[in-house]
Amino acid sequence: MSTDSIEHVKPPKGKPKWLRVKLPTGKKYTQLRGLVDKYELNTICTSGSCPNMGECWGEGTATFMILGNVCTRSCGFCGVKTGRPEDVDWAEPEKVARSIKIMSIKHAVITSVDRDDLKDMGSIIWAETVNAIRRMNPTTTLETLIPDFQGVEKHLDRIIEVNPEVVSHNMETVKRLTREVRIQAKYERSLDVLKYLKESGINRTKSGIMLGLGELEEEVLQTMEDLRKANVDIVTIGQYLQPTKKHLPVRHFILPEQFKKYEEIGLKMGFRHVESGALVRSSYKAHKHIN
């Protein structure tokens, strides 16, 4: 299949009109923004300038990153700094839990950098963070967007034991592009992680992929099929945007009609939820994925 079979346009000098977003507004957004600024709370929503921040905050959802802001991996798509991370902050679980309480968050998404430098790869802090949030915010539901922990089951077991409502791990791209896009990650290992989570009793598993890195339609569909074979419940599909000139370039912009096509195909495949659109990110409409 040639690249012409994908509904896309070559990158123009400016972004297509469907990638332009309005500034977030609304009473709930304004209130939460004030709390974030006042208490210097760290959310991915603000630090990552997420285009859906106003919508998510209006629905009581926010995303928090733990284990610092320096990653041990150097993925070609990611704007997070790479290098030698700082020491683990063992008070972080309580800090995150307190932030969620201050913001009155109904559904929290927790994510992290990769910490391959740690013996437990950060899994202990992960579990303690979930426990701290539940102690301080007993009605808040949780999604944990985890790294692969190099596929080590004893680290994954710590996540399984605290049993978040949703456990997510992103494939990010198709098999052919994994080495280029994710470098230290492995396509099959990520699938094995998702399969292990589901087989170990996690109620909802979830994964996400980015489009626009040079993938073919048939490769996207194969990735979706692989996720279904791993019994993944939820998939998110969005447009890749280049964080800096040092990162992988956008090869093409996907048309809205193509995103809609993937959504329809995904639902027919049996996914419980499919979020597919140019501005979709991992935590988009995350509060609906617990059902």
Side-chain angles (χ1 to χ4, degrees):
M1 184 180 291
S2 70
T3 54
D4 292 336
S5 64
I6 289 190
E7 290 293 323
H8 68 264
V9 293
K10 292 181 179 179
K13 291 183 179 180
K15 292 179 183 177
K17 60 182 180 181
W18 59 84
L19 280 171
R20 297 169 191 163
V21 295
K22 296 179 181 179
L23 292 174
T25 58
K27 183 178 180 181
K28 183 69 172 178
Y29 167 78
T30 303
Q31 178 188 19
L32 288 181
R33 185 75 210 212
L35 290 172
V36 167
D37 293 341
K38 179 179 179 180
Y39 293 100
E40 298 181 341
L41 307 179
N42 180 30
T43 73
I44 288 294
C45 317
T46 50
S47 61
S49 302
C50 179
N52 306 309
M53 179 166 54
E55 182 179 353
C56 291
W57 282 13
E59 293 167 339
T61 301
T63 301
F64 301 83
M65 187 166 75
I66 61 175
L67 290 163
N69 60 1
V70 179
C71 189
T72 53
R73 300 188 186 182
S74 51
C75 297
F77 70 91
C78 185
V80 174
K81 290 186 292 183
T82 184
R84 184 181 178 85
E86 296 180 359
D87 292 339
V88 171
D89 178 5
W90 293 100
E92 187 171 47
E94 295 296 327
K95 292 177 182 177
V96 173
R98 188 162 56 250
S99 295
I100 289 170
K101 188 173 184 64
I102 290 170
M103 294 175 70
S104 299
I105 295 300
K106 297 176 183 177
H107 182 72
V109 180
I110 312 299
T111 188
S112 81
V113 293
D114 282 278
R115 291 299 302 261
D116 297 317
D117 59 313
L118 303 173
K119 287 184 178 180
D120 73 316
M121 298 181 195
S123 59
I124 293 174
I125 280 284
W126 264 103
E128 291 192 0
T129 300
V130 172
N131 286 331
I133 293 169
R134 285 195 168 138
R135 284 195 303 269
M136 205 174 295
N137 308 273
T139 62
T140 298
T141 53
L142 291 171
E143 174 183 329
T144 53
L145 173 53
I146 64 171
D148 63 18
F149 297 129
Q150 295 185 13
V152 178
E153 291 182 0
K154 67 179 179 181
H155 303 328
L156 293 168
D157 287 343
R158 294 190 175 102
I159 304 297
I160 293 163
E161 185 178 348
V162 295
N163 196 28
E165 280 78 8
V166 179
V167 181
S168 179
H169 172 64
N170 285 342
M171 299 298 294
E172 306 294 6
T173 189
V174 299
K175 187 173 184 177
R176 175 175 59 87
L177 298 176
T178 294
R179 183 182 293 272
E180 178 186 7
V181 174
R182 298 175 72 199
I183 304 176
Q184 295 103 320
K186 297 178 181 178
Y187 184 87
E188 295 297 340
R189 183 167 69 192
S190 286
L191 283 175
D192 287 343
V193 165
L194 289 161
K195 184 178 180 182
Y196 181 75
L197 291 167
K198 193 64 176 179
E199 290 178 345
S200 300
I202 292 299
N203 187 40
R204 294 279 181 273
T205 55
K206 176 178 171 182
S207 191
I209 56 175
M210 305 169 293
L211 304 185
L213 287 158
E215 69 289 327
L216 306 180
E217 181 185 80
E218 62 183 8
E219 294 176 310
V220 176
L221 296 179
Q222 183 61 59
T223 301
M224 293 168 69
E225 288 176 3
D226 290 342
L227 289 170
R228 280 305 299 138
K229 288 176 183 176
N231 290 317
V232 170
D233 299 290
I234 305 143
V235 65
T236 61
I237 307 172
Q239 171 72 52
Y240 167 68
L241 297 175
Q242 186 179 16
T244 73
K245 291 181 179 179
K246 295 180 181 179
H247 291 83
L248 293 171
V250 176
R251 297 296 183 188
H252 52 260
F253 289 119
I254 312 301
L255 292 172
E257 294 82 2
Q258 184 70 17
F259 278 114
K260 183 64 177 176
K261 180 179 179 180
Y262 288 136
E263 178 185 354
E264 292 171 350
I265 291 173
L267 291 172
K268 288 179 181 178
M269 284 182 178
F271 288 105
R272 184 175 291 268
H273 295 281
V274 180
E275 307 296 347
S276 180
L279 296 172
V280 167
R281 298 297 179 261
S282 297
S283 57
Y284 184 62
K285 294 187 178 178
H287 64 291
K288 294 184 178 180
H289 299 161
I290 61 174
N291 302 313

